[in-house]
Amino acid sequence: MNRIAVSISRGIARVTDAALGPYQTAVIRIGFAATWLLFLLREFRHRQEMYGPDGPWKWDLAQRLVADNHAFTILMWSDSQVWFTTVYTLAVLSALLLLVGWRTRTMSVLFMVGVLSLQNRSIFMGDGGDNVIHLMAIYLVFTRCGQVWSLDARRARFAREAHARGDLPRAGAQDRVGLVLWAALGLLLAAATGAGRLSPGWLAIFWGLWAVQALWWAVGRLARTAEPRILLDVIANAVHNAALLVIMAEACLIYATAGWYKIQGSRWQDGTAVYYPLHLDYFSPWPALSDLLASHGTIVMLVTYGTVAVQVAFPFTLINRRVKNVLLAAMMTEHAVIAVVLGLPFFSLAMIAADAVFLPTSFLRRLGGWAARARGRLFPPGARKLPGQRAQGPRTPEPAEDPHVGFTA
């Protein structure tokens, strides 16, 4: 019984002491924000046809659809062209700011609002990649995805160093930008509530997130002891780790269901399934390349059977790190090939970003080191030296948050 109790206590400590996978969640944040941002920029000239009030999917049809499926979208609050442009701009800006990690708690919520609003306005415009972005945008809200590789982590590190030198008071008192952002969003939320635009469920979610931000700042600013902040950290870590587990389970579920459904198809059973999309004009941006691949029956058969085998086997390889890493590299390579050969770049980027949750931490830290050295060559440390700060070489920030910084990571 003592051994069981010790094991349980260690498991609880493991889940609550720290937000696990800081580098993996940072990659997910960067990957999905970049995918959505690039998609919005590429489709900017087609935005009216896809999501605008004058598109093929008319306003009245969208109203009937939303009334039937009860999907969340602020685009349906008005059929004004100004409102559509505002929401589209919000989606672009929130994706950009989430990508660089500026006020990640707030930007993750605005990113979710932008994704859900555009996709739920015209659900027939999406594909499998859009469904993945849709789900991950919701999960990211509950993660602490700005611990590393973000402007929040950089600002928190500078605040800690300044506080250690005695240059600044408590860092929470300096977060004026966060306070202004929190107050402005509170006013907008109050206006939407007063206008009756939000359902009771979404009202509870948004007001709850807004109140949590206020509580987080108040504890960091006013608490006389460390216990209240420790309690909030424990809760935040538990929520983060639960969301990270859901993201991992979602990725496994996607591959497992895709693989088992393929097994039931006759074209996948006889090894010819890959042949047919190579001859569809919609999936042939490079017809010569598609014809070259389709002309080799052995390659088509190996790719067909290999795809099924990898997708079915991947969830079972998580217990073996080496095998998992090999299949992970194979799946990412396959998605890169799909992006080029079939002309599905955003679907492939979304799947690669989802796969990144399983990347080894050592590899991600090494990748961060390479990026830091490359940045150091392009921008020497002396060029970005701050007042009172010693010039330092580029380094990858550690996954730690400042205990008194509010409205940030």
Side-chain angles (χ1 to χ4, degrees):
M1 293 298 295
N2 289 336
R3 292 178 181 178
I4 295 175
V6 170
S7 299
I8 293 175
S9 63
R10 287 178 179 175
I12 295 174
R14 174 71 173 170
V15 171
T16 58
D17 279 354
L20 303 177
Y23 293 95
Q24 285 79 3
T25 49
V27 171
I28 293 172
R29 183 197 84 233
I30 295 171
F32 282 103
T35 302
W36 182 242
L37 176 63
L38 293 174
F39 173 78
L40 294 179
L41 293 179
R42 194 195 72 167
E43 302 297 341
F44 183 78
R45 60 178 180 173
H46 304 298
R47 65 190 185 281
Q48 295 289 349
E49 292 81 2
M50 296 181 66
Y51 306 115
D54 299 327
W57 191 251
K58 297 296 184 180
W59 174 261
D60 56 342
L61 293 176
Q63 281 187 318
R64 291 167 57 185
L65 178 64
V66 171
D68 183 60
N69 60 17
H70 304 288
F72 171 81
T73 170
I74 63 175
L75 271 180
M76 301 309 300
W77 291 2
S78 172
D79 60 353
S80 166
Q81 184 63 40
V82 175
W83 178 245
F84 168 73
T85 303
T86 301
V87 174
Y88 200 93
T89 304
L90 169 68
V92 172
L93 289 178
S94 62
L96 176 62
L97 294 176
L98 184 65
L99 172 65
V100 299
W102 186 80
R103 310 287 167 174
T104 50
R105 286 196 182 106
T106 302
M107 289 307 123
S108 63
V109 177
L110 295 180
F111 178 76
M112 178 189 69
V113 171
V115 170
L116 298 186
S117 296
L118 292 176
Q119 290 188 355
N120 289 337
R121 164 64 174 83
S122 302
I123 60 174
F124 301 108
M125 293 292 181
D127 56 19
D130 293 303
N131 293 336
V132 176
I133 295 175
H134 190 107
L135 294 172
M136 296 301 175
I138 299 174
Y139 301 151
L140 276 174
V141 173
F142 302 97
T143 63
R144 308 182 79 171
C145 55
Q147 297 180 94
V148 297
W149 298 345
S150 67
L151 294 180
D152 287 342
R154 182 174 179 267
R155 185 177 66 254
R157 176 166 57 84
F158 288 162
R160 287 195 301 271
E161 293 173 355
H163 183 57
R165 295 191 304 268
D167 293 343
L168 292 173
R170 301 178 67 181
Q174 302 300 315
D175 194 19
R176 296 188 180 92
V177 175
L179 284 173
V180 172
L181 184 62
W182 173 81
L185 293 176
L187 291 176
L188 293 176
L189 186 56
T193 303
R197 297 294 187 179
L198 295 171
S199 65
W202 285 107
L203 276 177
I205 291 173
F206 287 131
W207 279 116
L209 293 172
W210 186 82
V212 167
Q213 291 291 84
L215 177 63
W216 193 275
W217 180 87
V219 168
R221 176 75 168 82
L222 304 174
R224 298 181 179 273
T225 62
E227 284 77 8
R229 176 56 193 252
I230 293 175
L231 176 61
L232 291 182
D233 275 329
V234 167
I235 297 174
N237 290 337
V239 173
H240 165 94
N241 295 331
L244 185 61
L245 178 62
V246 171
I247 292 174
M248 297 171 68
E250 186 70 41
C252 290
L253 184 62
I254 290 172
Y255 285 116
T257 53
W260 286 108
Y261 273 114
K262 286 181 175 66
I263 288 177
Q264 302 175 40
S266 59
R267 294 294 177 263
W268 291 95
Q269 292 174 7
D270 60 27
T272 62
V274 174
Y275 175 85
Y276 298 98
L278 293 175
H279 287 79
L280 296 176
D281 293 337
Y282 185 79
F283 296 112
S284 298
W286 314 99
L289 180 59
S290 299
D291 292 340
L292 178 63
L293 294 175
S295 63
H296 293 78
T298 303
I299 294 178
V300 171
M301 182 189 67
L302 291 177
V303 173
T304 301
Y305 287 145
T307 299
V308 176
V310 169
Q311 291 183 346
V312 172
F314 179 73
F316 301 100
T317 64
L318 298 181
I319 58 177
N320 188 300
R321 184 181 62 182
R322 294 182 179 179
V323 177
K324 180 262 296 182
N325 291 339
V326 171
L327 290 187
L328 190 61
M331 289 192 302
M332 288 185 170
T333 303
E334 180 184 18
H335 287 305
V337 172
I338 290 174
V340 176
V341 177
L342 299 183
L344 297 172
F346 299 109
F347 166 79
S348 298
L349 284 175
M351 294 308 303
I352 291 174
D355 294 341
V357 71
F358 300 106
L359 288 173
T361 300
S362 58
F363 170 77
L364 293 176
R365 290 176 66 93
R366 195 178 305 117
L367 185 65
W370 295 338
R373 284 192 292 272
R375 182 187 61 188
R377 294 189 185 97
L378 294 175
F379 306 101
R384 60 177 187 272
K385 182 179 177 181
L386 298 180
Q389 178 188 9
R390 295 181 179 179
Q392 298 178 351
R395 63 190 179 94
T396 303
E398 292 300 319
E401 292 184 330
D402 185 82
H404 298 294
V405 173
F407 309 106
T408 55

